[in-house]
Amino acid sequence: MRVPDLPCRYSDRVQEADSLLAICREEEAMKHDKTQHSATPAKDHSRVQGEGDYEAARHYRKDVEAFVESGKVGEAMKDAAPRNDDEARQMEQAEKAGKARSKGEDPALDKGRRTKH
């Protein structure tokens, strides 16, 4: 069974896993911050939260850069690859199930890709 663009597909999964890891770290850090600063007033407007959480974005960028610089990206891609045909089919089914509710690919993702003629 030949899977086209194998490295690209699994690098996307590595990025997704890295994003989830960063989110978990951010949540743990936020829990820690809340317990450490529970006596401070809640009206601290210097930290923008929600989609504009600049501190979380800085932590995420730092973690991604550290991961890339560690040289472990290739290893993570290999670890994410299916070990056999059955696992590959399961991953394909999971991907299809996830995309079934999708509104489609983001056109911005195609900017860096070459189109095949």
Side-chain angles (χ1 to χ4, degrees):
M1 178 177 154
R2 186 180 183 304
V3 181
D5 301 325
L6 188 65
C8 179
R9 288 180 60 217
Y10 292 107
S11 65
D12 291 344
R13 289 192 176 126
V14 170
Q15 289 174 347
E16 290 171 12
D18 186 50
S19 296
L20 291 174
L21 179 62
I23 290 169
C24 291
R25 287 180 180 159
E26 291 167 20
E27 289 175 353
E28 287 299 316
M30 288 172 59
K31 287 179 188 175
H32 179 73
D33 285 348
K34 286 181 182 178
T35 59
Q36 295 295 322
H37 303 292
S38 59
T40 59
K43 291 188 176 187
D44 180 15
H45 296 290
S46 63
R47 295 180 59 186
V48 178
Q49 295 295 315
E51 291 186 34
D53 190 345
Y54 302 124
E55 184 176 350
R58 276 192 299 275
H59 287 292
Y60 173 75
R61 276 193 305 276
K62 179 183 167 194
D63 289 344
V64 169
E65 289 170 2
F67 179 73
V68 170
E69 290 173 6
S70 74
K72 295 180 181 179
V73 174
E75 181 183 332
M77 285 175 52
K78 289 177 187 175
D79 290 343
R83 292 176 199 93
N84 54 47
D85 287 342
D86 186 47
E87 192 172 273
R89 278 191 293 278
Q90 289 176 353
M91 290 172 87
E92 292 269 337
Q93 289 173 348
E95 187 174 353
K96 285 180 184 176
K99 287 183 175 182
R101 296 181 54 132
S102 170
K103 293 181 181 178
E105 290 289 336
D106 184 353
L109 294 175
D110 290 329
K111 288 183 180 179
R113 297 182 187 160
R114 287 190 226 166
T115 55
K116 296 180 182 178
H117 297 283

